[in-house]
Amino acid sequence: MFKNIPISALIGLFFTGLYFFIAIFAPWIAPYGMAEAVGDVWEPSSAKHWLGTDSIGRDLLSRMIYGGRTTIFIATAATILSFTLGSCLGLLAAVMGGWVDQAISRFVDLIMSIPTLIFALVVLSVMPVTIPVLILVMGLLDSTRVYRLSRAVAVDINVMDYVEAATLRGEGRGWIIFREILPNALSPLVAEMGLRFIFAVLFVSTLSFLGLGVQPPGADWGGIVKENKDGIVYGIPAALVPAFAIATLAISVNLVADWILNRTTSLKGGRG
Amino acid sequence: MHPILKLVSQRLALGLLLLLAASALIFVGTQILPGDVAASILGQSATPEALANLRAELGLNEPALSRYFSWLGSAVTGDLGTALTNGQDIATSMGKRLGNTLFLAFWAAVVSVPLAIFLGLLAVRYKDRWPDKLISAVTLTSISIPEFLIGYVLMYFIGVKLGWAPSVAMINDSMSLGEKLAAIALPVTVLTLVVLAHMMRMTRAAILNVMQSAYIETAELKGLSSFQVISRHAFPNAIAPIVNVVMLNLAYLVVGVVVVEVVFVYPGMGQYLVDHVAKRDVPVVQACGLVFAAVYILLNMVADIVSILANPRLRHPK
C-alpha cells in the first residue's frame, strides 16, 4: 500500500508520527526532568545538554520534549472538540435547512466577525487560565470554521440522488447524516482537520507566548520562547529552538493534508 | 434610489448591525463566568468587603442588560470608562496607542500589498516552473511559523547578529519620521512576511481562476504574449477578487499587530490589550476588543462594497 504514497506525504507522515511518538513517550525519552535545574544559565549545547540549558538552567531538550507533549495534547484535544461540534452542527444544518440552518449560520457569522485571537483574549481576561479552559475556548472558537466547511460540503451532497433515494426509502435523519452524507464528506473534512490542528498548535503557542496559555512551571513551545526571549538580545538563540519544532510539525502535517486532499480530488476526477 | 446606492447602504446597515451584535458578544464574553468578574479579578483570598466594593464600582449589582446598554451608550459617545488598575481614562490612553498601531499597520500594508500582487502575478506567469515552486515553498514555511517566532528569528539574525536594524521598536513623539521608520523596520518586515504569504496565495488562486476562462484562451489563440494576456485580459477581471484579498489581509494585519507589538515592545494597542488581559482589567479589555472588532468589521465591509462596485455581476443578485 505504500507504493502509491508520494515521497512528500511519506516524509510528512514520518515526522508527524515521530512528533506524536515523542509526545506520548516523553517521560521515557527526555534525558532530564521537566522542571529540574541541572546546569548553568543558558549553557551552550554540549554532549551533556544537546540543546544547551534555558534561562534558569533547565535542560532545553527535556523542556522541548515535555513542551511538545503539552502543545500537541492541547492542540489535539481542541481539534477533536472543534471537529465533533463543528461537523455535527454543520451536517445537521445542511440536512435540516430552514430556520435551524439560518439560526446557526448567522450565529457563526457573528462569532467570525470578531478576530479569533481578540475574542480569545477577551474571554481569557475573566476565565481562570487552565488547560481545560484553553482547550474549551480554542475548540469552541475553531468549530465555527469547521462548521462552515462541513455545511458547504454537506449541502452539495444533500442534493445527490442517493440521498434522495434514502429519504424515499424512509430512512431517518440520523441514517442520512451518518450513513449517507458523512462517509462522502469525510475526505475534505480529514484534510481540513490537519489544517485546523496546525492552527491550534500556532494558536496555543501564541497564547502561551503572551503569558495567557500554559502557566509555568508547565512547559509548552510558546512558553519556552517567552522564558528565553530575553537571551535574544545577548545573542543566545535558545528562544529560537521552538520555531524549528513548530515549523517542522506544521509543514509535515500540511504535506499529509495536501496528499489526502489531492487523493480525493483525483478519485472524483471524471465523475464530478 | 440608484441600485448601487441601495446595495451599498444595505451593506453599511448590515455592518452597523454586525458591530452592535459583536459588542453584545464581547460584553457577554466577559460575563459567562461561574461566579462573577469581581471574584475572578481579586482572586481566592479577597475579603467580602473588597468584593462588595469592586462589585459596586463595576456596577455589578445592576442587571446585566442595563449594564450593557449603559456601557454601549457611553462607548458610542466616546467615553470608554476608566481602567481598574490605574484609574486613567481609557479613551485618552488608547488614542495615542491606536495611532501608533495604525502607523505600523499602514507601513506594513504599503510594503506588502504591491509586493504580494507582483509576486502573485510572477507565480502565475511561471506556473509549475521553479519560480512558482520556490514562492509556494517559502509561503508554506512562513504560514507554518507563528508571527512571534518569525519576529524573534529576524531579531536574532538581523537585529543582534548583523546589527542592521534596532531589535526593539520604541517610538515617541520627538522622533522624526525617518527615525520612526528605522525603529519599526523589523516589525514591518515581520508583518509583511506574515501577510505576504496569505495575500500571494490568494492572488495566485484568484488570477488562475480567471485564466481558465474561455476569453483567455481566445486571447492566447490570437497570439498575444503571456504578459499581455495577463495585463490586458486577466488582471481587469481579477481586480475584484484581489481587492477582496487585500482587504481581508489588512484586517488580518490589524490582528497580527497584537503579537508583533509584544515581541518588539512597541507602544501600541496590542501591547495595551495583552497587558490588561494579564491584569484582568475588564473595562480596558472590553474597550480594546470593541475597537479591534470595529476595525475588522469595517475593513471586511469595505471589501464587500469594493467588490460590488468592481463587479457589475454582483449588482444584480438573483
Side-chain angles (χ1 to χ4, degrees), chain A residues 34 36-43 51-61 63 224 227-228 236 238:
Chain A
M34 177 181 74
E36 205 183 339
V38 288
D40 240 355
V41 172
W42 281 322
E43 270 183 39
L51 295 174
T53 57
D54 77 349
S55 57
I56 53 173
R58 292 170 295 196
D59 181 53
L60 195 56
L61 180 65
R63 291 285 289 172
I224 292 174
E227 289 161 9
N228 295 300
I236 295 152

Side-chain angles (χ1 to χ4, degrees), chain A residues 120-129 207-213 215 226, chain B residues 40-42 85 262 270-282 284-285:
Chain A
L121 288 180
V122 168
V123 173
L124 286 176
S125 72
V126 289
M127 287 284 205
V129 183
L207 285 178
S208 293
F209 166 71
L210 294 175
L212 303 163
Q215 299 297 314
K226 183 184 166 63
Chain B
S40 85
I41 292 172
L42 294 176
T85 37
V262 175
Q271 182 136 78
Y272 190 59
L273 173 61
V274 171
D275 278 353
H276 287 82
V277 169
K279 291 178 192 156
R280 299 187 175 272
D281 193 334
V282 177
V284 177
V285 174

Side-chain angles (χ1 to χ4, degrees), chain A residues 23 34 65-75 131 204 214 218-220:
Chain A
M34 177 181 74
I65 292 173
Y66 279 102
R69 185 183 213 193
T70 321
T71 305
I72 291 177
F73 169 69
I74 295 179
I131 289 182
V204 72
V214 179
D220 87 308

